[in-house]
Amino acid sequence: MSGYFLSQQDARWDKKSFQQENNAGIRKTTGTRITSKDKIIYTPPEGETIIRDLLKNLEDFIHSENDIDDLIRLAVLHYQFEAIHPFPDGNGRTGRVLNILYLVEKGLLDTPILYLSKYIIENKNQYYKKLRAVTEKQDWEGWILFMLKGVEETAIHTLKKINAINDLMRETITYAKAQLPSRVYSKELIELLFEQPYCKVKFLVDKDVAKRQTAAEYL
């Protein structure tokens, strides 16, 4: 398995804001450094050809046929993507999206809602320490156990939150049915309110809850 890994120093998230619709592509700049408190903590590989080769190597690992558990493979690919650091910006966010897509592809998630960032942010000192230990000491066991614990804790937290949302929606439906005029109340209307952080007429019209004028009156 070691043939898939970079023997580089530890990779850290960048702290720059990730622009929407970023079309920068593979990093072509030289002299890229990842710093913390003005100290260089990691120098990612440089050169587009090298980066693309490493990404292809990572892709091959993701799709390779072997007996490595999918969650262990998740921990490995997360480290590797961080180490390659292929884009000028947004590598941390992209890597976390990649994690979710991988879990969905492997059938471990039906819906892309496992927010691993919460665990990583709450344990960021340990996160950085474990990443560095892989690079400097080849301590894969410590890193993998850290990530497995993150998946477990995040899954439990997410399940509790989903159940709480479902309970609240049922309570709201019951309350709205009792309080709203019958011409306004509909289960679909309440469900729509739980789909968006805000609601506007177009949402009701698109969902066939009501025509425009009626939807405006409902809201």
Side-chain angles (χ1 to χ4, degrees):
M1 193 163 65
S2 60
Y4 292 105
F5 310 139
L6 295 175
S7 87
Q8 300 269 348
Q9 287 181 317
D10 122 83
R12 308 282 180 92
W13 295 351
D14 58 73
K15 298 297 182 181
K16 298 177 182 178
S17 60
F18 180 60
Q19 295 181 347
Q20 208 170 15
E21 298 182 7
N22 189 320
N23 296 315
I26 297 297
R27 174 168 50 83
K28 299 179 177 64
T29 55
T30 59
T32 300
R33 301 289 185 271
I34 301 174
T35 62
S36 176
K37 297 179 180 179
D38 298 324
K39 179 183 177 181
I40 297 176
I41 56 176
Y42 179 64
T43 302
E46 295 182 350
E48 184 176 0
T49 299
I50 292 174
I51 292 172
R52 288 187 180 277
D53 287 345
L54 292 170
L55 287 174
K56 180 60 169 62
N57 178 259
L58 175 58
E59 180 186 358
D60 291 343
F61 170 71
I62 292 172
H63 297 293
S64 60
E65 297 291 336
N66 53 50
D67 58 356
I68 301 175
D69 183 89
D70 289 331
L71 290 180
I72 293 177
R73 197 190 295 256
L74 172 71
V76 173
L77 76 89
H78 183 96
Y79 169 85
Q80 184 74 333
F81 187 85
E82 288 278 22
I84 297 171
H85 214 71
F87 307 120
D89 197 9
N91 291 279
R93 295 168 182 84
T94 304
R96 295 193 289 279
V97 171
L98 179 62
N99 289 344
I100 300 301
L101 293 176
Y102 173 79
L103 292 173
V104 171
E105 180 185 6
K106 293 299 181 180
L108 298 177
L109 278 181
D110 295 324
T111 308
I113 54 174
L114 195 70
Y115 186 58
L116 282 171
S117 296
K118 178 180 184 297
Y119 173 80
I120 292 174
I121 291 170
E122 290 176 350
N123 299 276
K124 64 179 181 180
N125 290 335
Q126 276 291 100
Y127 173 77
Y128 294 156
K129 182 180 178 180
K130 296 297 183 182
L131 279 175
R132 182 180 295 279
V134 173
T135 301
E136 297 179 350
K137 303 175 183 178
Q138 290 292 297
D139 182 15
W140 283 103
E141 181 177 354
W143 167 251
I144 290 169
L145 289 175
F146 173 81
M147 288 296 289
L148 291 178
K149 182 179 179 182
V151 171
E152 179 185 21
E153 290 189 7
T154 306
I156 292 171
H157 171 81
T158 304
L159 184 58
K160 288 180 178 178
K161 184 168 288 291
I162 291 171
N163 288 336
I165 291 171
N166 285 332
D167 290 343
L168 180 59
M169 184 167 67
R170 284 191 290 268
E171 292 172 9
T172 305
I173 288 173
T174 300
Y175 178 81
K177 189 174 184 179
Q179 299 294 325
L180 292 176
S182 58
R183 68 179 185 83
V184 175
Y185 168 78
S186 75
K187 183 171 180 287
E188 290 75 20
L189 171 61
I190 305 303
E191 289 176 344
L192 182 60
L193 296 178
F194 277 80
E195 289 184 17
Q196 300 283 351
Y198 69 99
C199 195
K200 59 183 180 181
V201 169
K202 185 177 185 300
F203 296 164
L204 272 67
V205 174
D206 290 347
K207 290 284 188 177
D208 291 327
V209 172
K211 299 298 183 183
R212 180 167 295 275
Q213 182 173 347
T214 305
E217 293 175 0
Y218 286 2
L219 294 182

